[in-house]
Structures are given as structure tokens and as C-alpha cells.
Amino acid sequence: MLAFGFSSGLPYALLIGTLNAWLGEVGVKLATIGVLSWIGLSYSFKFLWSPLVDRLPLPGLERLGRRKSWILLCQVVMVLGFAGLAVTDPATAIGTFALFAFLAALASATQDVAVDAWRIDVADETTPVELLSAIYQFGYRIASIVGGALALVLAARMSWSSVYLVMGAVIVVIALITLRAPDTPRPESAKLHQQLAEPGALSPAARTTALAVVGLAWAWAIGTIATFMVGMLAPASPDAPLPSVADFTKHYGPWIILATVGVPLVTAALTNWMRAHGKVVLTAPDEHHSAGRTVANHLYVALVSPLAELSARLGWGVLIVIGMILSYTLCYNIWSSFAFPFYLDFLKYSKDEVAFASKVFGIFMTMLGISLGGFLFARAGRMPTILIGAVLPILGNFVYADLAEGAPHIDAVGSLIGLKALFGVFGFDERMIRLLLAISFENVSTGVAGAAFVAYLSGIVSKSYTAVQYALLSSLTFLIGSLGRGIAGEAFDSYGYATVFRWTAAAGLVAVVFVLLEWMRVSREVRRSA
């Protein structure tokens, strides 16, 4: 589990954060970096192919195990992706570079699906899932240090290409551990989705129609994003002007959200209405079985059933829940991909300084924030902690805006509460102390927010759809933030860091409003139950 946690965390650190330090160093524009960060949407969309990972035996690899075979395949593809990045110059071939990055991100997201399933499958009384989950997080955090801090330290002493080759070699070592891992047998296909064949369930034709509507909406959204990325990263001619990320987000962003959230929600509500009113439902058990039916059932359970169950259970309250999920991490997810260009290129810190501050010291601050979030849950309660987790990152954005403008307020507060003197004891100069103080507040804030949000999502999902519903809802968490990175990169180029940090702080107020609405909804439910 430790190795699998490491294998999940390393590519995410290398592709979503460290890669941007490489791009910034070779002079790639922030707007282009923002668009390239859309490879992170692979993690947002991974639930789409999770049924495939769950059920499809891999020819030639299946004998290794139902989960191990997919994990090993993804690790091989990640190694090839890192090798492709190593032999490609992003300054002259950004399109090819983006293709290798997307390939590695796709393999990483798919590996996460298999690793999450493996963790649940192999858990037993000796190694319960809670223990495995804690060890997974430990491995993931170690990988964040290796893929962030160690990668930057190495990049200060060798080429970026060599760094990614070294990281590919680390994945090869993890693949050897994968071969020794245990696995569980594949269940019989006949036992799958029996409830879809029972009387009262929607007919196969109705399910196919609902699936087609949702599938087409998702396909259009993904195709639209992919087409724009290709146009941005590989223009038709060198002299052609690059398309505007701001215009794309303004004109297509709302439609993409509608296609990926609105259409599935409306479709789920309609399927609930038809079942409740006995429209186009089965009147007798459906005995028909086929490969096509099995695939359709898997996709239906991944795309339609989770939201159908959620909307049936919460009613109109599902709109508040989805709004909160979409906006909760917005104010720090939008700009997180630009942290390294901000530290290295704008503030002119060295790679060694950023490696220590962001990926060693910062990881411990994040763990402190997670611990604080758990403490607040026990002491203050669920909704107060979630509200605190929504407010703190907003303040963190103002801290970063102050850092971008020379840190006058950070200096004043640090001196007032004695932190400057404390850091000075360890030999840090005033400039480094500013960075450490900013990262301290930001990482503790996002640690609290992350702990609060994971606990909230874990509590809102149905135990009947735990895996697919959690995968879907957690994927939606990154949707708007990932789309917003494109416009954020262009805005950083146009308006500067401090201004954009304040804008993203204002965006965090949306999450606060939804948290307050959810608090009111939960309180009303408690009173009604009483």
C-alpha cells in the first residue's frame, strides 16, 4: 500500500506542479501553462472509464490479478510518458510535449482508480481499510516531497530531461513491487447490477436513452476542451495568433459545466420521476444477458445512477450540494498550478529554496492542517469546520497577494507574533521567512479545507453507491478549478499575480454562500427528523 500510494502521488506532483517549473524556466507563457494544466482534467474525468478498469480483463496481464494488471499497465505507460517528456523540448515542440504529459496523466488517473479499488478489495481484519488508507496517504505525501522538493533539487544540478528520466526509473522500481502484491479474484459477471434487472427498474431502452443523453453531453464537453487545447498548443501556422483562453472560458465554460453537471442532474431527476410513476419500468425480471448489456449497465451505474440516487435522497437540496462541491476548492485550485512559476520566475527564489519551502516544510504544514481539521471536527462539529475550511483559503489568497507586492503585511504580522524571530533562529533570512510564512498559512488552510471536504463527501455518499458516487463527486470538485486555470494563466500575464490572487479570493466567497445554504438545509433536516 505504501508503494501504491507513492505511485499515485509521484506522477501527480510531477505533472500538475513540477512540470510547470520546467515550462516557466524555458520561457513558456503562463497562458500556455494554464491550458497545459488542463491535463489535470484526467483526474476529474476518471470516473468515466472506472467501470472499464473494474470489469475488463487485460489480455496477457490478467493472470497477474484483476487490479495488479491495470496498475502495472498504467505504470508502464507512465514510464513511457516520462521518457517522452525527457526527449522533447517544450520550448520548440510544446504540442508533442503536451501529448506525452496527457498520456502520463491519463495513465496516472487510471492507476488511481485501480489502486483505490485494490485498497478496498484486499482489506481484512489484520489490515483494515482505515489502516491501508492512512498508509496510502503517507506514501502519497512522501511522493509529493520526491516529485516536488527532490525534483527541484535535482533540476538545479542536472537537466530537466534527466530529472524526468530519474523519476521514470523510480516508477520502474515501484512496478517491481507491484508484481509482488496480493490481489483478489474477479467476481462472476452474472452477479453484477442485479437490481437493474428487477421489476420496478427502468427498462433497458429507457436506461440506454438516459445513458446516451449523458454520454453525448460528456463527449461534447471533452471534445470541445481537447480541440481548444490542440489549437492552443499546436497552432496551424507559427504566425497565427493563439486563441484566447479568456474568450474560450467565457463562451464555452458555462456550457461545459451545463453538459457535465446540469444535463446529468436533469436526466437523473427524470429517471427518478419515471420510476416513481411506473413509466417505462420492468414488470418482470429481465433475464436477457449480453456483453453489450453488461457494458451499458456499467456505464449507467457510473454516469447516471450516482446522481439519480443523490437527487432522489436529497430532492432540491442536491442543487446546493452540487454547488458546494463545484465551488469549495475553487479559490486555491485555480492558481495552484502556477505556484512554481510564481516562486521561481516572479519572486526569483532558487530551486533549492522553493524545494524546501514548498515541498518539505509545506508538506508538514499541510499535515498540520489536516490534523487541525480533524481536531475541529471533534470539537466544533461538522458544518462549523466545513465553513472554517471555506473561509481560510480565501484569507490565504490575500496572503499571497501581499507576498507578490513585497510582503509588507506578512512582515508586520510575522514580527508582531514572533514568527520572524523564531524562523530567524534557524538561520533563515528575511526573504526566505516571508515565503515560509505565506506557505505556512496557505498549506494549513488548505489542509483544514481538504480534511473538512473529504469528511463531508464521505458522509454525503450513499453506502449503496460508495465507490462510483464518491468517484463522481470528488471528480466534480476539480472541474471548475481545472477549467479556470486556463483563464488564470492568461490573467497572470495580463494583470499580474497580486490582482489575480484577489480575484480568486473573491471566487471563494461563492463556496462560503453554498456552505451556509447547506448548513441551513442540514439543520432543517435534523429538526424534521427530531
Side-chain angles (χ1 to χ4, degrees):
M1 188 73 268
L2 185 69
F4 285 166
F6 186 94
S7 187
S8 291
L10 186 62
Y12 190 86
L14 291 170
L15 296 170
I16 306 302
T18 305
L19 193 71
N20 296 334
W22 182 358
L23 296 174
E25 185 176 292
V26 298
V28 176
K29 292 183 178 180
L30 290 176
T32 303
I33 293 176
V35 172
L36 185 56
S37 71
W38 284 354
I39 63 172
L41 287 170
S42 301
Y43 298 92
S44 298
F45 295 155
K46 64 185 179 184
F47 72 92
L48 290 173
W49 56 88
S50 60
L52 191 69
V53 177
D54 185 47
R55 296 307 310 162
L56 180 65
L58 291 173
L61 293 176
E62 175 69 9
R63 60 187 179 84
L64 296 176
R66 60 188 298 229
R67 307 303 185 192
K68 285 168 57 179
S69 57
W70 278 96
I71 294 171
L72 184 65
L73 174 65
C74 292
Q75 289 168 343
V76 170
V77 174
M78 285 190 293
V79 171
L80 295 176
F82 289 158
L85 292 173
V87 299
T88 306
D89 183 359
T92 58
I94 188 65
T96 304
F97 191 84
L99 186 62
F100 283 121
F102 173 72
L103 180 68
L106 189 64
S108 174
T110 305
Q111 177 192 236
D112 286 353
V113 173
V115 167
D116 289 339
W118 182 89
R119 181 174 66 246
I120 295 169
D121 287 345
V122 303
D124 55 26
E125 292 182 359
T126 306
T127 52
V129 71
E130 292 81 6
L131 174 61
L132 291 176
S133 297
I135 295 173
Y136 172 86
Q137 286 292 329
F138 190 53
Y140 198 97
R141 297 301 175 185
I142 294 173
S144 297
I145 296 174
V146 173
L150 182 60
L152 287 176
V153 170
L154 291 176
R157 293 157 177 81
M158 62 176 69
S159 68
W160 278 108
S161 296
S162 299
V163 171
Y164 275 76
L165 286 176
V166 169
M167 296 300 163
V170 173
I171 296 292
V172 171
V173 174
I174 299 297
L176 297 177
I177 299 175
T178 301
L179 293 173
R180 301 292 300 166
D183 212 330
T184 53
R186 188 176 295 280
E188 296 178 24
S189 299
K191 295 182 180 179
L192 287 173
H193 309 135
Q194 289 182 351
Q195 62 184 5
L196 296 179
E198 295 174 354
L202 281 182
S203 69
R207 293 201 306 270
T208 300
T209 302
L211 180 60
V213 171
V214 175
L216 287 173
W218 273 99
W220 174 84
I222 295 173
T224 301
I225 294 170
T227 301
F228 180 80
M229 285 185 68
V230 170
M232 183 74 179
L233 300 174
S237 65
D239 298 328
L242 292 175
S244 170
V245 184
D247 288 344
F248 174 83
T249 306
K250 180 172 67 176
H251 293 131
Y252 288 96
W255 293 106
I256 290 172
I257 301 299
L258 179 65
T260 55
V261 180
V263 170
L265 263 180
V266 172
T267 303
L270 286 174
T271 61
N272 287 338
W273 182 88
M274 286 189 290
R275 284 196 299 110
H277 291 80
K279 306 289 185 181
V280 291
V281 297
L282 295 173
T283 57
D286 183 10
E287 303 293 343
H288 178 73
H289 299 286
S290 67
R293 176 72 60 83
T294 300
V295 171
N297 284 348
H298 280 303
L299 292 175
Y300 185 84
V301 168
L303 295 177
V304 181
S305 291
L307 285 180
E309 189 282 333
L310 198 67
S311 59
R313 176 159 44 95
L314 302 180
W316 289 102
V318 71
L319 298 178
I320 298 174
V321 171
I322 295 298
M324 180 177 157
I325 288 171
L326 288 172
S327 61
Y328 194 80
T329 63
L330 182 62
C331 77
Y332 55 91
N333 260 344
I334 285 181
W335 69 265
S336 59
S337 291
F338 303 95
F340 281 151
F342 175 59
Y343 300 144
L344 296 169
D345 304 324
F346 183 78
L347 297 178
K348 304 300 182 184
Y349 287 97
S350 70
K351 290 187 180 73
D352 287 354
E353 289 172 330
V354 173
F356 172 77
S358 179
K359 292 302 181 180
V360 177
F361 178 78
I363 291 295
F364 286 108
M365 290 299 102
T366 300
M367 292 173 135
L368 176 61
I370 293 171
S371 302
L372 179 59
F375 174 80
L376 288 173
F377 252 94
R379 293 287 182 168
R382 179 182 180 219
M383 293 311 300
T385 304
I386 292 170
L387 180 61
I388 292 170
V391 172
L392 286 180
I394 296 175
L395 303 178
N397 278 22
F398 285 113
V399 170
Y400 268 75
D402 185 62
L403 183 64
E405 294 177 331
H409 296 96
I410 293 176
D411 287 344
V413 173
S415 297
L416 181 65
I417 61 179
L419 285 178
K420 286 187 70 174
L422 177 62
F423 282 126
V425 170
F426 294 97
F428 296 114
D429 61 21
E430 186 177 65
R431 202 165 154 274
M432 189 65 176
I433 290 172
R434 292 170 179 169
L435 182 62
L436 292 174
L437 288 175
I439 286 177
S440 294
F441 189 88
E442 170 68 13
N443 286 25
V444 169
S445 299
T446 54
V448 172
F453 199 59
V454 167
Y456 172 77
L457 280 185
S458 300
I460 203 72
V461 298
S462 164
K463 294 192 181 300
S464 301
Y465 292 93
T466 303
V468 289
Q469 202 170 71
Y470 188 90
L472 173 60
L473 296 181
S474 61
S475 296
L476 293 180
T477 304
F478 300 100
L479 182 59
I480 295 183
S482 296
L483 286 173
R485 288 172 193 159
I487 193 171
E490 192 167 285
F492 281 135
D493 278 332
S494 302
Y495 304 105
Y497 281 98
T499 301
V500 178
F501 282 137
R502 293 190 177 97
W503 286 355
T504 53
L509 294 174
V510 177
V512 174
V513 171
F514 275 113
V515 170
L516 293 174
L517 290 173
E518 174 65 356
W519 197 342
M520 293 168 57
R521 186 193 71 81
V522 171
S523 299
R524 190 165 55 248
E525 289 293 325
V526 170
R527 289 196 301 270
R528 186 176 301 159
S529 299

